[in-house]
Amino acid sequence: MQMDWLSGTIDYGIIGLLVVLSVVVVAVSLERYALYRKISIATFNDIKSLELTLTSKLIVISSVGANAPYIGLLGTVLGIMLTFYNMGQDSAMDTGKIMTGLALALKATAVGLVVALVAVVLYNTLLRRVKVLMLEWEIANGRKTV
């Protein structure tokens, strides 16, 4: 068929991209967690430089959390498009082939949602740790931020 490449694009392209993004999120989260455990807030003279150090790379996690559902949705649209194309090419198509195409589409959505949920939970956990460390710096230095 002419659209067979689309099935591979959904399975290996969209879902593969989502898996890579989830690995990146976990790697950045582990790196940030390790930094937060070993950082000495006493070495920072001002809270702004502390904040810059603590929030570095968090944008990666939040971006994946915000965009993973849309990448999964793209896989869904492509899967449904492929199913309709195949239905149009074969008027005597059995329901098994239709359901397989729709299952492929929904698989992309599910993976996108799982990646997003993990990213958002990790982001919120790390952001909470950032806030705690900044408050500890303020308490130790007797200063307030504006």
Side-chain angles (χ1 to χ4, degrees):
M1 289 205 135
Q2 297 172 348
M3 299 269 291
D4 283 341
W5 63 271
L6 194 53
S7 178
T9 300
I10 297 167
D11 257 346
Y12 300 109
I14 301 292
I15 294 175
L17 174 63
L18 287 166
V19 168
V20 167
L21 288 175
S22 69
V23 169
V24 169
V25 162
V26 170
V28 170
S29 297
L30 290 173
E31 183 273 334
R32 292 283 89 193
Y33 179 74
L35 174 77
Y36 298 163
R37 285 184 53 98
K38 72 175 185 173
I39 197 165
S40 172
I41 59 172
T43 60
F44 291 87
N45 294 327
D46 64 286
I47 196 157
K48 294 300 179 185
S49 60
L50 174 63
E51 184 177 13
L52 283 173
T53 301
L54 295 175
T55 59
S56 174
K57 300 179 188 172
L58 289 183
I59 187 76
V60 173
I61 301 170
S62 67
S63 294
V64 171
N67 291 299
Y70 296 114
I71 296 170
L73 183 60
L74 175 62
T76 301
V77 170
L78 292 174
I80 291 172
M81 189 173 81
L82 176 63
T83 301
F84 284 147
Y85 177 82
N86 289 337
M87 287 171 54
Q89 294 296 311
D90 186 6
S91 60
M93 185 177 211
D94 66 4
T95 56
K97 287 185 179 180
I98 295 170
M99 294 303 134
T100 302
L102 295 177
L104 176 66
L106 294 174
K107 182 170 65 170
T109 301
V111 172
L113 290 173
V114 168
V115 171
L117 289 170
V118 169
V120 168
V121 167
L122 289 172
Y123 176 76
N124 287 335
T125 302
L126 292 170
L127 195 59
R128 171 68 182 149
R129 186 68 185 135
V130 166
K131 289 179 181 178
V132 167
L133 288 169
M134 290 177 60
L135 286 172
E136 288 174 357
W137 185 93
E138 287 180 4
I139 291 167
N141 291 284
R143 298 181 190 161
K144 275 190 102 162
T145 59
V146 180

